[in-house]
Amino acid sequence: MKSTISLKLLKALQRGTDKLSVEALQKVSAFVESQKTPKHSFIGRGGDPDIYYSLFGWMLYYVLGIKCDKENLALCLSQYDETDLDLVHYAAYMRCRMLYHLLGNKKSTLLLRSVFNRKIKNLDEFEVVPHDDPQSPYTGFIWLSLLEDTGNTVKSKEFDLTVLEDYHLADGGYMNVKNGRTATTNATVAALSIIGQLKGYNKNEDVLYLRDLQNSLGGFRAVADSPVPDLLSTATALFMLHCYGVEPKYSAEDFVEAHWLDSGGFSATLLDELSDVEYTFYGLLALGAI
């Protein structure tokens, strides 16, 4: 079975977790536990439970081996009306449904497509998609991962890769808006992920462009003129380089470790003193991609 984006992420997270000492593992696990509600939803920085943050929390549950009550997981899922969710939250909800099966049996990863097959909404049925553009690289990335997670066949007509050229810059990289002037790490990673999943992870100029965005401290910026590199951009860039078998220019271990807070979670940037399960996910993803 071809590895899906979700399974690639879980494997990278597991590698990151395996690098932690026993003490660090306990510290990170305690932070993750502190972010959940009694119904196993996870809270964002505003303090409210959200299926988007629950996705990160549940993936961390899986790789950290944290015990959870499947009845509470089911209660968490029952709080959401999937018909009212935008694309990003709908995709998060569906991946949580997938994780519901995984959290019950770690050995079931290879059987997911046989036990979890779900008809989903069409892309044009969503009123809200990222950047208000159903063809942007990030929207395409979310849609592709959603199809994979739900066991749906990825049809070539749904992914006309020539469309990505509208978001590609001549000097390299991708943007999430047409006619823009600056490539972003997020869009470049999304486009490379789509291309890799559909055509194979073959080294190309845009992968090398992504590699060259790394600064000497080991981090990646969201865009070239961002004041500081951030953990999200760094983790996703390192992950995509790993998928393509390309080594980063610089070691990122010290950069990632510098974002680990006393709370046990990871911060978004070195200027940030707060954490959540999303950036803790990115911290472990970065470690696993190194």
Side-chain angles (χ1 to χ4, degrees), residues 241-284:
L241 290 176
H242 180 84
C243 288
Y244 276 89
V246 174
E247 290 287 331
K249 294 181 69 174
Y250 308 101
S251 171
E253 289 190 8
D254 289 344
F255 177 85
V256 176
E257 186 175 350
H259 289 73
W260 192 34
L261 303 177
D262 290 339
S263 66
F266 288 78
S267 63
T269 72
L270 293 177
L271 303 178
D272 200 341
E273 297 180 352
L274 297 176
S275 182
D276 57 32
V277 287
E278 179 182 10
Y279 280 93
T280 302
F281 166 95
Y282 290 127
L284 294 184

Short mmCIF file of all heavy atoms in Angstrom, two decimals, residues 241-284:
data_model
loop_
_atom_site.label_atom_id
_atom_site.label_comp_id
_atom_site.label_asym_id
_atom_site.label_seq_id
_atom_site.Cartn_x
_atom_site.Cartn_y
_atom_site.Cartn_z
N LEU A 241 11.98 17.85 2.97
CA LEU A 241 13.32 17.50 2.52
C LEU A 241 13.59 16.02 2.79
O LEU A 241 14.18 15.31 1.96
CB LEU A 241 14.37 18.37 3.21
CG LEU A 241 14.41 19.85 2.82
CD1 LEU A 241 15.44 20.59 3.66
CD2 LEU A 241 14.70 20.03 1.33
N HIS A 242 13.17 15.55 3.96
CA HIS A 242 13.36 14.14 4.30
C HIS A 242 12.60 13.24 3.33
O HIS A 242 13.12 12.20 2.89
CB HIS A 242 12.88 13.88 5.73
CG HIS A 242 13.04 12.45 6.17
ND1 HIS A 242 14.21 11.94 6.67
CD2 HIS A 242 12.15 11.43 6.16
CE1 HIS A 242 14.06 10.66 6.95
NE2 HIS A 242 12.81 10.32 6.65
N CYS A 243 11.37 13.63 2.98
CA CYS A 243 10.58 12.83 2.03
C CYS A 243 11.29 12.69 0.69
O CYS A 243 11.21 11.65 0.03
CB CYS A 243 9.20 13.47 1.83
SG CYS A 243 8.07 13.32 3.23
N TYR A 244 11.98 13.76 0.29
CA TYR A 244 12.69 13.75 -0.99
C TYR A 244 14.12 13.22 -0.87
O TYR A 244 14.85 13.17 -1.86
CB TYR A 244 12.71 15.16 -1.59
CG TYR A 244 11.46 15.50 -2.37
CD1 TYR A 244 10.36 16.09 -1.73
CD2 TYR A 244 11.37 15.24 -3.73
CE1 TYR A 244 9.21 16.40 -2.45
CE2 TYR A 244 10.24 15.55 -4.46
CZ TYR A 244 9.16 16.12 -3.81
OH TYR A 244 8.02 16.42 -4.53
N GLY A 245 14.53 12.85 0.33
CA GLY A 245 15.86 12.32 0.52
C GLY A 245 16.95 13.36 0.37
O GLY A 245 18.09 13.04 -0.02
N VAL A 246 16.64 14.62 0.68
CA VAL A 246 17.60 15.72 0.55
C VAL A 246 18.03 16.20 1.93
O VAL A 246 17.18 16.50 2.78
CB VAL A 246 16.99 16.90 -0.25
CG1 VAL A 246 17.93 18.10 -0.26
CG2 VAL A 246 16.66 16.46 -1.67
N GLU A 247 19.32 16.26 2.16
CA GLU A 247 19.84 16.71 3.45
C GLU A 247 19.72 18.23 3.56
O GLU A 247 19.99 18.96 2.59
CB GLU A 247 21.32 16.32 3.58
CG GLU A 247 21.56 14.84 3.74
CD GLU A 247 21.15 14.34 5.11
OE1 GLU A 247 21.20 15.13 6.07
OE2 GLU A 247 20.78 13.16 5.21
N PRO A 248 19.34 18.75 4.73
CA PRO A 248 19.35 20.21 4.92
C PRO A 248 20.77 20.74 4.90
O PRO A 248 21.74 19.99 5.08
CB PRO A 248 18.70 20.38 6.30
CG PRO A 248 18.94 19.09 7.00
CD PRO A 248 18.91 18.02 5.94
N LYS A 249 20.91 22.04 4.68
CA LYS A 249 22.24 22.65 4.62
C LYS A 249 22.90 22.68 5.99
O LYS A 249 24.12 22.57 6.11
CB LYS A 249 22.14 24.07 4.06
CG LYS A 249 21.69 24.14 2.61
CD LYS A 249 21.65 25.58 2.12
CE LYS A 249 23.03 26.19 2.00
NZ LYS A 249 23.01 27.53 1.39
N TYR A 250 22.09 22.86 7.04
CA TYR A 250 22.63 23.02 8.39
C TYR A 250 21.89 22.10 9.36
O TYR A 250 20.74 21.74 9.13
CB TYR A 250 22.49 24.47 8.86
CG TYR A 250 23.04 25.49 7.91
CD1 TYR A 250 22.20 26.22 7.07
CD2 TYR A 250 24.41 25.73 7.84
CE1 TYR A 250 22.71 27.16 6.18
CE2 TYR A 250 24.94 26.67 6.96
CZ TYR A 250 24.07 27.37 6.13
OH TYR A 250 24.57 28.30 5.25
N SER A 251 22.55 21.77 10.44
CA SER A 251 21.90 21.00 11.49
C SER A 251 20.82 21.87 12.15
O SER A 251 21.02 23.07 12.39
CB SER A 251 22.91 20.58 12.55
OG SER A 251 22.25 20.02 13.68
N ALA A 252 19.68 21.27 12.44
CA ALA A 252 18.57 22.03 13.05
C ALA A 252 18.31 21.62 14.49
O ALA A 252 17.38 22.13 15.12
CB ALA A 252 17.30 21.84 12.22
N GLU A 253 19.10 20.72 15.03
CA GLU A 253 18.82 20.20 16.37
C GLU A 253 18.85 21.30 17.43
O GLU A 253 17.96 21.36 18.28
CB GLU A 253 19.83 19.10 16.72
CG GLU A 253 19.59 17.82 15.93
CD GLU A 253 20.44 16.67 16.45
OE1 GLU A 253 21.09 16.84 17.50
OE2 GLU A 253 20.45 15.61 15.80
N ASP A 254 19.86 22.15 17.42
CA ASP A 254 19.94 23.21 18.42
C ASP A 254 18.79 24.20 18.25
O ASP A 254 18.24 24.71 19.25
CB ASP A 254 21.28 23.95 18.31
CG ASP A 254 22.45 23.12 18.78
OD1 ASP A 254 22.22 22.11 19.47
OD2 ASP A 254 23.60 23.47 18.45
N PHE A 255 18.40 24.47 16.99
CA PHE A 255 17.29 25.38 16.74
C PHE A 255 16.00 24.84 17.33
O PHE A 255 15.24 25.56 17.99
CB PHE A 255 17.12 25.59 15.23
CG PHE A 255 15.96 26.48 14.86
CD1 PHE A 255 16.09 27.85 14.83
CD2 PHE A 255 14.72 25.92 14.55
CE1 PHE A 255 15.01 28.67 14.51
CE2 PHE A 255 13.64 26.72 14.23
CZ PHE A 255 13.79 28.10 14.21
N VAL A 256 15.75 23.56 17.10
CA VAL A 256 14.52 22.95 17.62
C VAL A 256 14.54 22.92 19.14
O VAL A 256 13.56 23.28 19.81
CB VAL A 256 14.35 21.53 17.05
CG1 VAL A 256 13.12 20.85 17.68
CG2 VAL A 256 14.20 21.57 15.53
N GLU A 257 15.66 22.52 19.72
CA GLU A 257 15.76 22.42 21.18
C GLU A 257 15.55 23.78 21.84
O GLU A 257 15.00 23.87 22.94
CB GLU A 257 17.11 21.84 21.58
CG GLU A 257 17.23 21.60 23.07
CD GLU A 257 18.52 20.90 23.46
OE1 GLU A 257 19.24 20.43 22.56
OE2 GLU A 257 18.80 20.83 24.67
N ALA A 258 15.97 24.84 21.17
CA ALA A 258 15.81 26.19 21.73
C ALA A 258 14.35 26.58 21.86
O ALA A 258 14.02 27.50 22.61
CB ALA A 258 16.54 27.20 20.85
N HIS A 259 13.47 25.90 21.16
CA HIS A 259 12.03 26.19 21.21
C HIS A 259 11.30 25.33 22.24
O HIS A 259 10.08 25.45 22.38
CB HIS A 259 11.41 26.00 19.83
CG HIS A 259 11.81 27.04 18.83
ND1 HIS A 259 13.07 27.09 18.27
CD2 HIS A 259 11.12 28.09 18.30
CE1 HIS A 259 13.14 28.11 17.43
NE2 HIS A 259 11.99 28.73 17.44
N TRP A 260 12.04 24.46 22.93
CA TRP A 260 11.42 23.61 23.95
C TRP A 260 11.34 24.38 25.25
O TRP A 260 12.35 24.83 25.79
CB TRP A 260 12.23 22.33 24.12
CG TRP A 260 11.54 21.28 24.93
CD1 TRP A 260 10.21 21.02 24.98
CD2 TRP A 260 12.16 20.35 25.80
NE1 TRP A 260 9.94 19.97 25.82
CE2 TRP A 260 11.12 19.53 26.34
CE3 TRP A 260 13.49 20.10 26.19
CZ2 TRP A 260 11.38 18.49 27.25
CZ3 TRP A 260 13.73 19.06 27.08
CH2 TRP A 260 12.70 18.27 27.61
N LEU A 261 10.14 24.56 25.75
CA LEU A 261 9.90 25.38 26.94
C LEU A 261 9.88 24.55 28.21
O LEU A 261 9.73 23.32 28.17
CB LEU A 261 8.56 26.12 26.79
CG LEU A 261 8.41 27.01 25.56
CD1 LEU A 261 7.01 27.62 25.53
CD2 LEU A 261 9.47 28.11 25.54
N ASP A 262 9.98 25.22 29.33
CA ASP A 262 9.94 24.54 30.62
C ASP A 262 8.61 23.83 30.85
O ASP A 262 8.54 22.87 31.62
CB ASP A 262 10.18 25.54 31.76
CG ASP A 262 11.62 26.05 31.80
OD1 ASP A 262 12.49 25.36 31.24
OD2 ASP A 262 11.86 27.12 32.38
N SER A 263 7.57 24.28 30.17
CA SER A 263 6.25 23.66 30.31
C SER A 263 6.22 22.25 29.73
O SER A 263 5.34 21.46 30.05
CB SER A 263 5.20 24.51 29.58
OG SER A 263 5.45 24.51 28.18
N GLY A 264 7.18 21.94 28.87
CA GLY A 264 7.18 20.64 28.19
C GLY A 264 6.73 20.74 26.76
O GLY A 264 6.93 19.82 25.97
N GLY A 265 6.11 21.86 26.40
CA GLY A 265 5.68 22.08 25.02
C GLY A 265 6.71 22.88 24.25
O GLY A 265 7.74 23.30 24.80
N PHE A 266 6.44 23.11 22.97
CA PHE A 266 7.34 23.87 22.11
C PHE A 266 6.69 25.19 21.71
O PHE A 266 5.46 25.27 21.54
CB PHE A 266 7.68 23.07 20.85
CG PHE A 266 8.61 21.91 21.09
CD1 PHE A 266 8.14 20.73 21.65
CD2 PHE A 266 9.95 22.01 20.77
CE1 PHE A 266 8.99 19.65 21.87
CE2 PHE A 266 10.82 20.94 20.98
CZ PHE A 266 10.33 19.76 21.53
N SER A 267 7.51 26.21 21.53
CA SER A 267 6.99 27.53 21.15
C SER A 267 7.08 27.72 19.65
O SER A 267 7.84 27.04 18.94
CB SER A 267 7.79 28.63 21.85
OG SER A 267 9.15 28.60 21.43
N ALA A 268 6.31 28.67 19.14
CA ALA A 268 6.28 28.95 17.71
C ALA A 268 7.58 29.59 17.24
O ALA A 268 8.14 29.23 16.19
CB ALA A 268 5.09 29.86 17.37
N THR A 269 8.07 30.56 18.01
CA THR A 269 9.33 31.24 17.70
C THR A 269 10.09 31.47 19.01
O THR A 269 9.55 31.26 20.11
CB THR A 269 9.10 32.61 17.02
OG1 THR A 269 8.60 33.54 17.99
CG2 THR A 269 8.13 32.50 15.86
N LEU A 270 11.30 31.95 18.88
CA LEU A 270 12.09 32.24 20.07
C LEU A 270 11.55 33.45 20.83
O LEU A 270 11.96 33.70 21.97
CB LEU A 270 13.55 32.47 19.69
CG LEU A 270 14.29 31.24 19.14
CD1 LEU A 270 15.71 31.60 18.72
CD2 LEU A 270 14.32 30.11 20.18
N LEU A 271 10.66 34.19 20.20
CA LEU A 271 10.06 35.36 20.85
C LEU A 271 8.78 34.99 21.60
O LEU A 271 8.18 35.83 22.27
CB LEU A 271 9.74 36.43 19.80
CG LEU A 271 10.92 36.92 18.95
CD1 LEU A 271 10.45 37.95 17.92
CD2 LEU A 271 12.01 37.52 19.84
N ASP A 272 8.36 33.75 21.49
CA ASP A 272 7.08 33.30 22.05
C ASP A 272 7.34 32.53 23.33
O ASP A 272 8.21 31.65 23.37
CB ASP A 272 6.38 32.41 21.03
CG ASP A 272 4.89 32.29 21.29
OD1 ASP A 272 4.46 32.58 22.41
OD2 ASP A 272 4.16 31.90 20.35
N GLU A 273 6.56 32.83 24.37
CA GLU A 273 6.74 32.15 25.65
C GLU A 273 5.63 31.16 25.95
O GLU A 273 5.60 30.56 27.03
CB GLU A 273 6.82 33.19 26.78
CG GLU A 273 8.01 34.14 26.65
CD GLU A 273 8.07 35.15 27.77
OE1 GLU A 273 7.09 35.22 28.55
OE2 GLU A 273 9.07 35.88 27.86
N LEU A 274 4.71 30.97 25.01
CA LEU A 274 3.59 30.06 25.20
C LEU A 274 3.70 28.88 24.23
O LEU A 274 4.38 28.95 23.21
CB LEU A 274 2.27 30.78 24.99
CG LEU A 274 1.94 31.93 25.95
CD1 LEU A 274 0.64 32.60 25.54
CD2 LEU A 274 1.86 31.43 27.39
N SER A 275 3.00 27.82 24.56
CA SER A 275 3.00 26.64 23.70
C SER A 275 1.58 26.11 23.56
O SER A 275 0.66 26.53 24.28
CB SER A 275 3.91 25.56 24.28
OG SER A 275 3.94 24.44 23.42
N ASP A 276 1.38 25.19 22.64
CA ASP A 276 0.14 24.45 22.48
C ASP A 276 0.46 23.12 21.83
O ASP A 276 1.62 22.84 21.51
CB ASP A 276 -0.90 25.26 21.68
CG ASP A 276 -0.40 25.68 20.31
OD1 ASP A 276 0.40 24.94 19.71
OD2 ASP A 276 -0.81 26.74 19.81
N VAL A 277 -0.55 22.30 21.62
CA VAL A 277 -0.27 20.97 21.06
C VAL A 277 0.16 21.06 19.59
O VAL A 277 0.88 20.19 19.09
CB VAL A 277 -1.48 20.03 21.19
CG1 VAL A 277 -1.66 19.59 22.63
CG2 VAL A 277 -2.75 20.65 20.63
N GLU A 278 -0.27 22.10 18.87
CA GLU A 278 0.14 22.23 17.48
C GLU A 278 1.65 22.38 17.37
O GLU A 278 2.32 21.68 16.60
CB GLU A 278 -0.55 23.43 16.81
CG GLU A 278 -0.14 23.60 15.36
CD GLU A 278 -0.77 24.81 14.69
OE1 GLU A 278 -1.40 25.63 15.38
OE2 GLU A 278 -0.63 24.91 13.45
N TYR A 279 2.23 23.30 18.15
CA TYR A 279 3.66 23.53 18.04
C TYR A 279 4.48 22.43 18.72
O TYR A 279 5.64 22.21 18.36
CB TYR A 279 4.02 24.93 18.53
CG TYR A 279 3.73 25.93 17.45
CD1 TYR A 279 2.51 26.59 17.39
CD2 TYR A 279 4.65 26.16 16.43
CE1 TYR A 279 2.22 27.47 16.35
CE2 TYR A 279 4.37 27.03 15.40
CZ TYR A 279 3.16 27.68 15.36
OH TYR A 279 2.87 28.54 14.31
N THR A 280 3.87 21.73 19.66
CA THR A 280 4.54 20.56 20.22
C THR A 280 4.63 19.46 19.16
O THR A 280 5.65 18.77 19.04
CB THR A 280 3.79 20.07 21.46
OG1 THR A 280 3.75 21.14 22.42
CG2 THR A 280 4.49 18.88 22.10
N PHE A 281 3.59 19.34 18.38
CA PHE A 281 3.59 18.44 17.21
C PHE A 281 4.73 18.83 16.26
O PHE A 281 5.51 17.97 15.82
CB PHE A 281 2.24 18.55 16.51
CG PHE A 281 2.17 17.96 15.12
CD1 PHE A 281 1.73 16.67 14.93
CD2 PHE A 281 2.53 18.71 14.01
CE1 PHE A 281 1.65 16.12 13.64
CE2 PHE A 281 2.45 18.17 12.73
CZ PHE A 281 2.01 16.87 12.55
N TYR A 282 4.86 20.13 15.96
CA TYR A 282 5.90 20.57 15.05
C TYR A 282 7.30 20.34 15.62
O TYR A 282 8.25 20.07 14.89
CB TYR A 282 5.71 22.04 14.66
CG TYR A 282 4.51 22.26 13.78
CD1 TYR A 282 3.54 23.20 14.10
CD2 TYR A 282 4.35 21.52 12.62
CE1 TYR A 282 2.44 23.39 13.30
CE2 TYR A 282 3.24 21.71 11.80
CZ TYR A 282 2.29 22.66 12.14
OH TYR A 282 1.20 22.84 11.34
N GLY A 283 7.44 20.48 16.94
CA GLY A 283 8.73 20.22 17.55
C GLY A 283 9.18 18.78 17.35
O GLY A 283 10.32 18.51 16.96
N LEU A 284 8.26 17.83 17.59
CA LEU A 284 8.61 16.43 17.42
C LEU A 284 8.76 16.08 15.94
O LEU A 284 9.60 15.25 15.57
CB LEU A 284 7.54 15.54 18.06
CG LEU A 284 7.41 15.63 19.57
CD1 LEU A 284 6.38 14.63 20.09
CD2 LEU A 284 8.76 15.37 20.24
#
